[in-house]
Amino acid sequence: MRTRHLSRRSFLAMTAAAASVFAVGACGSSAPAAPTSAPAAPAAATPTAAPTAAAPTPTPVALATPAPQAAAPTVAASGTTIRQFKEAPMLADLVKQGKLPPVEKRLPDPEDILVVKPLNEIGQYGGTWNQAFTGPADFHAFDRNTYEAMLRWPADLRNPIEPNLAKKWEWSDDNKTLTLYLRKGLKWSDGEPFTVDDILFWWNDIELDKNLTPAPHAEYVVNGKPMEVEKVDDYTVRLHYAGPNGLALRMLAFHGGQWPTAFEKFGFYAPKHYLQQFHPKYNPKSDYKTFAAKADDLNPDRPVLWPWRITEWKPNENKLIAERNPYYWKVDPEGNQYPYIDRIYMHLVANSEVINLMAANGQLDFQFRNIDVSKYSVFSEKAKAGNFHILKWPAADGSELAFFPNQTIDDPDLRSAFRDVRFRQALSLAINRDQLNQVAYLGLGTPRAATVLPQSPYYSEGIDQLYATYDPKKAEQLLDEMGLKKNADGIRTFPNGKPVQFLIESSITAGTGLDALQLVVKNWQAIGLKVDLKTMDRSLYWPRAIGNQVQMATWGIDRGLEPMVDPIYQIPFDNRSWFAPQWGVWYNTGGQQGEKPEGPAAQVQQLYDQFKSTVDSAKQIEIGKQICKIAAENVFAIGTVGMVPSIVIVKNNFMNVPETAVTDWIMFSPDNLNPFQFYFKQS
C-alpha cells in the first residue's frame, strides 16, 4: 500500500476544507468537541501536609543523563493525613444514586494512598480529551496515557525510580531476592481487590504457559533459570532469582504493567477474578483464542487499574472512548481523586495525515504521537485560529528512521551480503543524511548513526558518527571489494550472476517518514543496488517483521538514554531485533528456538548476560558502553537522522502540561508526566 505525501500547499488547502466538512472521525460521524466549560471544581479543602510523589517537573531541553538504577534497598514515603476526599461530579451523582460506594471506600487504605502534586496547580473536573489514532495497531496512542506499573519512571530521569503500585521494595543482602509491598486496599475498576494473587495468576498461568508466552521474558531469567514467585501475604510478594538481577527495578517500571499491553505481550499482573473463567486450565470449555480476546487491552469488560477505563470500542467503529475509573487510587494534595478529565475520546482515522489535519484545525486537545515535524510551519499559521499552541519536546531518539538488514533472512545470497559488515557499512555511507535532514526534518535533527545519545551513560565518544558521513565513493569501493560488481546496466550482481536486490518493507505510509524512505532508496539505487519499497499498515507489517519474513525492515531507534531495559537495537534480544530476528529468538528462548548467533552478535549477548547479573552501577555502565560500541561498529542497524524534537499540539485551555519534557517509549511518554493531572481550565 503506497500513500501519496501531501505538499505544504495541499495540506493547507485540505485543512481549510476539512474545517467545514470533516467531523473528526474516519467515517465522518460527529463526536464531542473539547469542552468550553466543565463541571465546577470541588470546593477546595484546607491544604494538609501530605507526603507527595515527585511532581512532573520540566526537563531541560538539553537531555538529562539518567541516573543508573542500582538495586539498593528503597523505602518510599506513603500515606496521607488528608481526612476528606472529593471526587468528580459525575461520580458524586452515582454515589447519590447508590450505584457507587463513597469515594473514601473506593480509595486504598489511608496509609497507602498515593498523593501526587500536580505540575502547576490543582485542576478542575470535567471535559473530554480529544485525541486521534490509526487503529488497534496504534494502541500505544491510548495506553501511553494510562500505563500503571509496579514502579514508575520519574519525570526527570536524573532522579531515582519511584514507587507506584508497589509502595516500597527491599533487596536481600545477596541481592537475589526482591520483596515488593503492594498498597493495601487497591481496587480494580470493577471494585474487586488487587492483590498478590493477580501477580501469581500472571506468572503461573500466563508467563509460564507456553501457549501464551513461548518463554519467560529475559528480565525474569537469571543464570538460565526463571525467577520463583512467593506469596507472603495478600500484599507482599517475593521474587527469587538464581543470582543478582541488575535489571529488576528498571523492568518493573517498564514491563511491570498489566498484561498484555497490546501486541508486545509483556506485563506483571492480570485480573485473576475476571480472566480465570476464560483460561483453559480452569475452564475446559474455553480455549486460548477466547482467553486472548478477553485479556486484550481493548476489551471494555476487562477490569483495569488505569485512570481511565475503556467503555466503548468495536473494531468496525471509528472511535474509542475511555471514562474515568471510579476506583482510581491517586489523589492530589487537597484530596481530589484523580483524574481531573472525565473521558478520553480517541478518533480512529485512516492515517497520520488525517491526524495532522485534525491537529491543524484545532480538533485535538493534546497530541504528539503521529504529529509530523514537517508540518510545523502549517501548525504555526493555524495555531491562533485553532486556539492551540505548539511545544517542541526533545526526543530520546537515536534515529528517527533506521534500517535493519536482516542477517537471518532465508535468502542465502542476501543473508551472506547482510552478514558482511562491509555491506552494512556501504549502505550507511551511501546515505546523504544532510539532505535527508533538510528535506524531511526541516534541519531540526542531527545526522547520526543508530546508537544512543551523547547524554546516555552508555555513550562512547564518536560512536554516533561511525559510517555516518556521506561517502558514496567509499561505499562503492566496499561493494567492489565484496565482489559485487556492476553489470552493463549498472546493477550490481552476486558472484552467481543474480542482481543484488532487496525489498524494504515499512509501516510508514505517509508524511516525513515516507519522504525519508524514498530519499534513502534513491541513495542506494545510485550505488548500483536494486532496491524496492513496500509500505503497509502496521497490523500487517509487524507480524512479518517479527516472523523473520522482512529482508530490510524499518523502524525508529528510541531508547536513546536508557537502552538496556529493552536492548532490541543493541543485541539480538528477541524477535523484535529485526537485524537478526532468529538470533533474538535463540537468546529469548535460551537456545530452544531460533538460530544460534555468531561473531559480534554472540559477543553482545554474552556481555548483556554480564550486565544483568551485576547490581554494581559502575560495572553496568562499563559493560553497557561495550555493548553499544560493538553494535555501532558493526552497524547492526543503519541510522539516518536523530534527536528530532517531538512536535506537541496543546489546546490553550489544556493545563498542567510542561513546557519541555523528554519523550521516549521506555518511559511511555507522556505517561511519565502524569496525564491524570492534566485538566481543562474554565474561563
Side-chain angles (χ1 to χ4, degrees):
M1 178 175 68
R2 298 294 300 275
T3 304
R4 178 177 62 89
H5 176 52
L6 298 178
S7 67
R8 179 176 176 277
R9 180 175 295 178
S10 298
F11 186 85
L12 279 168
M14 288 184 67
T15 57
S20 60
V21 302
F22 181 49
V24 290
C27 300
S29 65
S30 61
T36 54
S37 62
T46 302
T48 55
T52 62
T57 53
T59 303
V61 174
L63 291 173
T65 300
Q69 304 301 329
T74 303
V75 177
S78 62
T80 174
T81 57
I82 297 173
R83 291 293 176 261
Q84 182 179 359
F85 299 98
K86 296 171 283 290
E87 60 196 340
M90 67 182 290
L91 297 182
D93 290 342
L94 293 175
V95 173
K96 290 178 183 178
Q97 298 169 29
K99 296 180 180 180
L100 273 181
V103 61
E104 60 270 14
K105 300 292 185 182
R106 305 195 309 268
L107 291 168
D109 292 2
E111 67 271 16
D112 281 347
I113 291 174
L114 182 59
V115 181
V116 182
K117 182 182 178 181
L119 175 62
N120 294 318
E121 57 190 356
I122 299 295
Q124 299 169 302
Y125 281 128
T128 296
W129 175 0
N130 286 279
Q131 298 182 66
F133 74 132
T134 58
D138 191 22
F139 174 76
H140 291 314
F142 171 73
D143 80 331
R144 282 195 183 203
N145 304 314
T146 60
Y147 194 67
E148 295 292 352
M150 284 292 112
L151 306 180
R152 184 174 180 82
W153 294 114
D156 186 334
L157 282 177
R158 292 169 295 187
N159 296 326
I161 282 175
E162 302 169 355
N164 202 46
L165 291 168
K167 63 181 178 182
K168 62 180 181 179
W169 60 88
E170 295 172 346
W171 281 99
S172 61
D173 290 341
D174 60 4
N175 288 304
K176 293 181 181 180
T177 297
L178 175 63
T179 303
L180 298 173
Y181 299 89
L182 306 185
R183 298 180 188 278
K184 295 180 180 179
L186 282 167
K187 297 177 181 65
W188 291 94
S189 55
D190 59 1
E192 291 295 315
F194 171 74
T195 70
V196 169
D197 288 341
D198 296 306
I199 296 173
L200 288 173
F201 177 72
W202 156 78
W203 178 248
N204 294 320
D205 299 318
I206 295 174
E207 189 73 6
L208 295 183
D209 188 328
K210 292 185 178 180
N211 296 287
L212 296 167
T213 311
H217 285 74
E219 61 263 29
Y220 309 125
V221 179
V222 175
N223 295 333
K225 297 180 181 179
M227 70 179 179
E228 296 179 4
V229 182
E230 175 196 356
K231 177 181 178 180
V232 179
D233 56 42
D234 282 347
Y235 300 102
T236 310
V237 62
R238 290 195 180 115
L239 310 180
H240 300 282
Y241 303 101
N245 187 343
L247 279 174
L249 299 185
R250 279 176 281 199
M251 294 312 301
L252 287 171
F254 178 48
H255 276 183
Q258 182 169 346
W259 189 88
T261 310
F263 47 85
E264 286 167 307
K265 300 293 188 291
F266 58 69
F268 191 77
Y269 60 87
K272 176 181 178 180
H273 70 280
Y274 172 73
L275 289 178
Q276 190 175 50
Q277 63 186 312
F278 305 112
H279 198 297
K281 175 180 174 180
Y282 303 97
N283 179 5
K285 295 182 180 179
S286 188
D287 53 47
Y288 285 101
K289 183 178 180 181
T290 300
F291 179 82
K294 295 299 183 179
D296 191 89
D297 297 305
L298 289 170
N299 174 17
D301 296 329
R302 190 196 69 164
V304 298
L305 298 174
W306 305 337
W308 296 274
R309 57 192 175 92
I310 295 174
T311 55
E312 292 185 43
W313 166 255
K314 292 180 181 178
N316 296 324
E317 293 190 357
N318 65 343
K319 64 181 181 297
L320 180 155
I321 298 177
E323 295 190 346
R324 65 170 60 253
N325 173 5
Y327 292 90
Y328 193 57
W329 43 282
K330 299 176 185 177
V331 302
D332 70 20
E334 295 185 358
N336 300 301
Q337 184 188 27
Y338 286 118
Y340 292 138
I341 294 174
D342 285 337
R343 64 184 58 82
I344 296 176
Y345 194 111
M346 304 288 299
H347 304 275
L348 176 58
V349 299
N351 54 42
S352 61
E353 287 287 358
V354 180
I355 293 175
N356 283 269
L357 287 170
M358 295 175 69
N361 286 326
Q363 294 169 299
L364 304 178
D365 296 307
F366 169 90
Q367 179 126 1
F368 71 84
R369 188 174 177 88
N370 288 314
I371 296 298
D372 192 339
V373 66
S374 70
K375 307 293 193 304
Y376 184 82
S377 60
V378 175
F379 295 138
S380 298
E381 293 177 24
K382 305 279 282 186
K384 184 175 181 180
N387 194 32
F388 64 84
H389 59 280
I390 310 163
L391 302 175
K392 289 189 290 186
W393 284 355
D397 292 342
S399 184
E400 195 76 10
L401 172 66
F403 296 84
F404 302 87
N406 184 353
Q407 297 186 52
T408 58
I409 195 67
D410 289 336
D411 184 297
D413 292 314
L414 283 179
R415 176 187 289 226
S416 176
F418 289 165
R419 289 189 180 184
D420 191 319
V421 69
R422 293 173 296 179
F423 191 85
R424 304 193 298 273
Q425 291 169 352
L427 291 178
S428 186
L429 290 166
I431 298 174
N432 189 338
R433 291 172 174 81
D434 288 330
Q435 180 191 43
L436 193 152
N437 186 30
Q438 294 300 323
V439 172
Y441 304 111
L442 304 181
L444 296 173
T446 301
R448 64 196 316 276
T451 189
V452 294
L453 305 185
Q455 295 86 353
S456 171
Y458 310 112
Y459 174 81
S460 297
E461 186 68 32
I463 61 171
D464 51 343
Q465 293 304 311
L466 287 174
Y467 311 106
T469 55
Y470 180 48
D471 192 346
K473 289 184 178 180
K474 178 63 175 177
E476 298 224 42
Q477 179 185 335
L478 290 169
L479 296 177
D480 288 339
E481 289 177 5
M482 291 177 61
L484 306 178
K485 305 297 184 180
K486 290 183 179 179
N487 61 20
D489 296 328
I491 302 297
R492 293 185 180 274
T493 61
F494 293 109
N496 60 14
K498 288 174 56 179
V500 181
Q501 180 175 10
F502 57 86
L503 175 65
I504 300 171
E505 295 187 42
S506 179
S507 62
I508 300 170
T509 61
T512 296
L514 185 58
D515 288 342
L517 272 173
Q518 292 168 339
L519 285 170
V520 173
V521 168
K522 291 179 180 178
N523 287 160
W524 288 345
Q525 289 172 340
I527 59 172
L529 302 175
K530 196 170 183 181
V531 184
D532 299 305
L533 172 64
K534 182 179 182 181
T535 67
M536 65 197 73
D537 181 81
R538 185 172 176 173
S539 62
L540 300 175
Y541 172 73
W542 187 269
R544 289 183 53 76
I546 65 173
N548 200 50
Q549 296 175 289
V550 177
Q551 296 174 352
M552 177 78 74
T554 71
W555 205 252
I557 300 287
D558 48 14
R559 302 153 172 80
L561 293 175
E562 177 53 276
M564 295 302 159
V565 298
D566 191 32
I568 59 175
Y569 309 125
Q570 309 298 331
I571 75 169
F573 184 67
D574 59 22
N575 60 6
R576 297 168 302 149
S577 296
W578 293 335
F579 63 89
Q582 286 298 91
W583 289 346
V585 170
W586 183 89
Y587 182 76
N588 182 243
T589 62
Q592 296 180 24
Q593 299 176 34
E595 179 184 340
K596 186 176 181 179
E598 58 184 36
Q603 183 183 0
V604 291
Q605 287 180 345
Q606 293 162 5
L607 284 168
Y608 190 65
D609 286 340
Q610 296 175 28
F611 181 98
K612 292 192 300 177
S613 66
T614 180
V615 297
D616 184 320
S617 295
K619 185 66 174 177
Q620 284 190 332
I621 290 174
E622 177 188 335
I623 296 170
K625 291 178 78 168
Q626 289 183 59
I627 292 172
C628 292
K629 185 176 181 181
I630 292 169
E633 288 174 342
N634 287 276
V635 200
F636 288 161
I638 301 168
T640 54
V641 176
M643 304 173 72
V644 178
S646 294
I647 303 302
V648 190
I649 303 299
V650 189
K651 291 300 284 289
N652 291 332
N653 66 335
F654 196 88
M655 311 305 290
N656 279 345
V657 177
E659 286 297 310
T660 185
V662 176
T663 63
D664 195 18
W665 154 241
I666 290 296
M667 300 178 292
F668 277 81
S669 302
D671 182 71
N672 60 313
L673 305 176
N674 296 335
F676 52 79
Q677 54 95 46
F678 296 162
Y679 77 98
F680 288 102
K681 191 175 187 67
Q682 300 133 51
S683 56

